[in-house]
Amino acid sequence: MTAADSTPAERLHAVQARIAEAAAEAGRAPAAVCLLAVSKTFDAAAVRAMAACGQREFGENYLQEALEKQAALRDLPLIWHFIGPIQSNKTRAIAENFSWAHGIDRLKIAERLSAQRPPALPPLQVCIEVNVSGETSKGGVAPAELPALADAVSKLPGLRLRGLMAIPAPASDMGAQRAAFRQVREALDALIARGHALDTLSMGMSADLEAAIREGATIVRIGTALFGERTKSHA
């Protein structure tokens, strides 16, 4: 059965079952893994339908689209994560309207988010994006530059550094998938040993969530398996 042939509840339960099975195989509790529904390019009605099934955390890549959905869904108790690349002209809206930002890879962006986070709101939960595969087409800080950036971000007011986010190069082999995710986990472990109080690994998507969970993912970002194939394009 494809996503197009199933209901939101069936798709959600299928993903939850995959998470539970992968967690069990890793000797972890399923509750240790947060399912983040990536709703980019899908409309507010699709988010509302998934929320009606019990899903509460949603990830968005495109700022204007996300703000429109947030406005349409203000009656729901949802938690919004910004997971796309963060440009300087987007930081104020992200700081004002999201609970999480996953894609920090420059100190300048973190400083702007810190300065623009409204004092009345809780600290913005942030992850540093690390580029473990060395792909020039993707964002993320190089592993060698990660400790210095983490040290600086952790000192900024209005932010709480929670951990790391990564999008490794696609791989069809479970062993290769796990090897890339293992690099992210080891980078997190090194930061913890450096004195940082971190608890989050945002990694793994529809095609590789099992490998990510086996290597310690605490947030998996799932779009296609929950909402189906995307047909809209964005600049």
Side-chain angles (χ1 to χ4, degrees):
M1 178 169 27
T2 66
D5 299 323
S6 55
T7 68
E10 289 169 338
R11 297 193 295 270
L12 179 61
H13 293 158
V15 172
Q16 290 171 333
R18 287 176 63 188
I19 290 172
E21 182 177 358
E25 291 179 356
R28 304 176 60 200
V33 183
C34 169
L35 170 56
L36 180 60
V38 179
S39 45
K40 66 178 181 181
T41 78
F42 292 96
D43 61 17
V47 175
R48 187 175 292 278
M50 196 61 65
C53 303
Q55 179 64 27
R56 287 290 174 266
E57 307 213 23
F58 291 87
E60 292 282 337
N61 288 57
Y62 308 116
L63 182 59
Q64 190 56 45
E65 176 192 316
L67 295 176
E68 291 170 0
K69 277 185 260 193
Q70 289 177 353
L73 299 165
R74 291 209 183 277
D75 57 305
L76 298 178
L78 305 181
I79 298 171
W80 294 96
H81 299 235
F82 192 82
I83 60 175
I86 303 176
Q87 299 165 347
S88 294
N89 63 349
K90 297 179 180 178
T91 55
R92 182 173 297 280
I94 292 170
E96 292 176 348
N97 293 283
F98 289 81
S99 296
W100 284 75
H102 289 230
I104 291 177
D105 60 3
R106 289 175 288 155
L107 180 57
K108 173 187 175 182
I109 294 299
E111 289 173 336
R112 289 178 64 88
L113 291 170
S114 169
Q116 295 167 345
R117 182 68 169 177
L121 293 180
L124 180 65
Q125 312 295 298
V126 300
C127 292
I128 293 174
E129 182 175 1
V130 58
N131 190 336
V132 294
S133 301
E135 294 176 277
T136 57
S137 61
K138 287 181 181 172
V141 64
E145 300 169 4
L146 177 59
L149 180 58
D151 289 351
V153 171
S154 67
K155 295 180 174 71
L156 294 173
L159 305 182
R160 182 184 171 197
L161 179 60
R162 294 292 297 271
L164 302 179
M165 184 268 260
I167 309 174
S172 57
D173 172 73
M174 169 72 80
Q177 292 173 351
R178 289 190 64 172
F181 291 131
R182 190 175 306 120
Q183 291 182 62
V184 187
R185 175 171 53 80
E186 290 172 349
L188 183 81
D189 290 342
L191 292 178
I192 292 171
R194 193 178 173 87
H196 291 284
L198 307 176
D199 61 6
T200 299
L201 282 172
S202 172
M203 60 187 193
M205 297 186 284
S206 294
D208 56 14
L209 70 86
E210 286 84 2
I213 290 171
R214 291 178 192 180
E215 293 299 334
T218 62
I219 298 176
V220 290
R221 307 183 307 271
I222 308 301
T224 302
L226 289 174
F227 295 101
E229 295 293 336
R230 294 184 177 87
T231 56
K232 293 165 61 178
S233 61
H234 283 252

